[in-house]
Amino acid sequence: QRVLTGVEPSAAATEQARAAVMATGGGGLRSRYRLALVAAALVAAVLTTGVTLAASRTAREAVGLEGGRPRNHLPRPIHAPLPPGANGFATVIGHSVWVATPNRGRPATGDFAGFELSPNAVYAAAGVRGALLALDPASLRTVKRHRVDGTPVAISWAPIGIHIAYIARRGDGYSLHLIDGDLTHDRVVARHVSPVKPAWRWDSLAVAYTTSAGSVRVLDLGHGRTTTLAAPRSCDRNPPSQLAFAPRGTMLAVAVGSDAWATDTAGTRRLCLPPIATNGITTSGGLAWVSRSDVVLTTFQFIQRDRILPHGGEVVRRVQAPGGIVAIAASPDRRSLALALAGDTTYVVMVDVPDAQTTTEWSRKGAHTLPPRQLLLVAAGTAGRRPPVTLIWR
């Protein structure tokens, strides 16, 4: 009873615990065995309802009602249920990886320099010193090992699955490689690149990457040519931090600081996406496409859905999340978003995509806050250390 009171179970959890306790009340058992069974039943009841109980508490922490204490060890998972309709979901914090797959109660964990899930999460690709690995995502067991002259630090699997683009670090330099999905025919296609994760076009016939000088380039495999894309003059011209192709068409979005710009890689149309007004806060949580024309931008705790029009962009809606956003990923059906909210503790929550039915004027006082729909992961961070976070949803 004391344990259940401490974790504030729901009414359903209480009934389950009570039924489990009553079921152990057989008359022929000795008192000590009966006591042991009662304790075991209580523990089982708490574990059975662990997802609900943890979500209740961590949701309060995520919205700032309870503060988490800094911990002096590497991040570790609390639980990681798989989002509905997903084949795999990965959270990468620094080099630490958690992968949730169907029919598995807890995620598989590992440490890699780079990580990626294949389409439909059939396989995973991971980088370690001197090798690119193909893994079973359910166990992270190595299926195949490919020797690399360097360390793969950023990996991107083509949507059709026929190619993998990865960036290998060797000394202080980086090079872009293409390799077939079965880890054969490895070749270097560009040198002097940056370690930003490459982005594939939806048809797997083009891949975008950034150079060490900060420019964006697109390698068109169908035509065998490379095109350099320049940011519009009025946009933030700092080095890109993220690249993302639209789910259809040829539009590419580029995150730069707290701003972003978009360009049609098959034409000349370029535009700065409407920025998020955050009173000088420039910490970006990245961007995610939610339709062929709509892209979601994040900065600090703010989420903005922008729509790309023939002659510019407009804000569809601005909302707030219940914490500082450091990473974002859209669901395969583009109806949900996974957000990593980081502080001393990192929470990964699932929220609805901001509604596009009405355009709302945003103000700090009247902004709508998106409630978390599902808690996907809780990981305790090391005090004073803020490693990069990546979310991968398949």
Side-chain angles (χ1 to χ4, degrees):
Q1 184 178 6
R2 184 169 62 254
V3 171
L4 291 175
T5 301
V7 295
E8 298 181 11
S10 64
T14 304
E15 290 302 318
Q16 291 181 28
R18 181 180 300 147
V21 171
M22 295 303 293
T24 65
L29 297 177
R30 298 179 185 179
S31 298
R32 60 182 177 180
Y33 294 139
R34 186 182 303 119
L35 180 60
L37 285 174
V38 169
L42 283 170
V43 172
V46 171
L47 291 177
T48 301
T49 58
V51 170
T52 301
L53 304 181
S56 173
R57 180 179 179 183
T58 52
R60 293 199 304 271
E61 293 178 344
V63 297
L65 297 180
E66 295 186 17
R69 296 180 180 179
R71 302 186 184 184
N72 296 318
H73 52 72
L74 292 176
R76 63 182 180 84
I78 304 300
H79 60 79
L82 195 65
N87 294 300
F89 185 89
T91 302
V92 184
I93 305 178
H95 289 180
S96 300
V97 177
W98 295 268
V99 183
T101 51
N103 304 318
R104 185 181 176 93
R106 281 186 173 271
T109 61
D111 292 290
F112 306 102
F115 189 82
E116 172 71 309
L117 290 175
S118 75
N120 299 317
V122 177
Y123 291 102
V128 296
R129 184 176 181 180
L132 178 67
L133 308 178
L135 309 174
D136 174 2
S139 62
L140 294 185
R141 178 180 59 86
T142 300
V143 176
K144 188 172 183 179
R145 184 184 186 96
H146 172 71
R147 185 176 177 180
V148 174
D149 185 14
T151 303
V153 296
I155 307 170
S156 183
W157 211 309
I160 298 177
I162 56 177
H163 296 302
I164 297 172
Y166 73 91
I167 293 175
R169 180 184 65 226
R170 184 182 178 189
D172 295 330
Y174 300 89
S175 57
L176 174 66
H177 292 239
L178 285 186
I179 188 170
D180 291 353
D182 59 357
L183 302 193
T184 60
H185 303 102
D186 191 2
R187 61 270 192 200
V188 176
V189 295
R191 301 187 185 276
H192 307 295
V193 302
S194 76
V196 175
K197 183 177 180 178
W200 283 96
R201 200 169 66 196
W202 64 274
D203 58 5
S204 301
L205 293 178
V207 61
Y209 62 95
T210 63
T211 69
S212 56
S215 63
V216 178
R217 292 182 179 174
V218 174
L219 172 60
D220 189 324
L221 301 181
H223 295 87
R225 63 175 180 242
T226 299
T227 304
T228 300
L229 306 175
R233 292 184 178 180
S234 57
C235 297
D236 188 332
R237 302 180 70 85
N238 285 320
S241 58
Q242 184 185 350
L243 307 171
F245 271 104
R248 285 291 185 272
T250 55
M251 292 299 298
L252 175 71
V254 181
V256 182
S258 60
D259 296 331
W261 53 277
T263 182
D264 186 349
T265 58
T268 58
R269 184 160 59 120
R270 296 178 299 164
L271 68 151
C272 301
L273 295 176
I276 303 177
T278 56
N279 297 329
I281 298 173
T282 60
T283 303
S284 174
L287 55 82
W289 288 90
V290 293
S291 75
R292 182 171 180 168
S293 61
D294 288 18
V295 61
V296 170
L297 311 180
T298 58
T299 299
F300 190 53
Q301 69 184 91
F302 307 105
I303 303 172
Q304 178 172 289
R305 179 171 181 166
D306 288 348
R307 177 160 296 159
I308 297 175
L309 302 172
H311 303 290
E314 70 173 10
V315 176
V316 176
R317 196 168 186 192
R318 296 185 181 113
V319 295
Q320 289 188 32
I325 304 168
V326 293
I328 183 174
S331 62
D333 63 5
R334 313 288 171 177
R335 296 180 180 178
S336 303
L337 298 173
L339 304 175
L341 314 175
D344 294 331
T345 300
T346 298
Y347 301 92
V348 181
V349 299
M350 188 171 71
V351 300
D352 293 323
V353 170
D355 188 6
Q357 297 301 319
T358 57
T359 301
T360 58
E361 291 297 326
W362 176 86
S363 67
R364 184 157 191 167
K365 183 177 181 180
H368 174 64
T369 299
L370 285 175
R373 254 195 315 127
Q374 184 180 0
L375 180 70
L376 303 179
L377 180 75
V378 181
T382 302
R385 178 171 172 258
R386 190 69 62 82
V389 180
T390 303
L391 304 177
I392 306 168
W393 195 337
R394 297 286 183 261

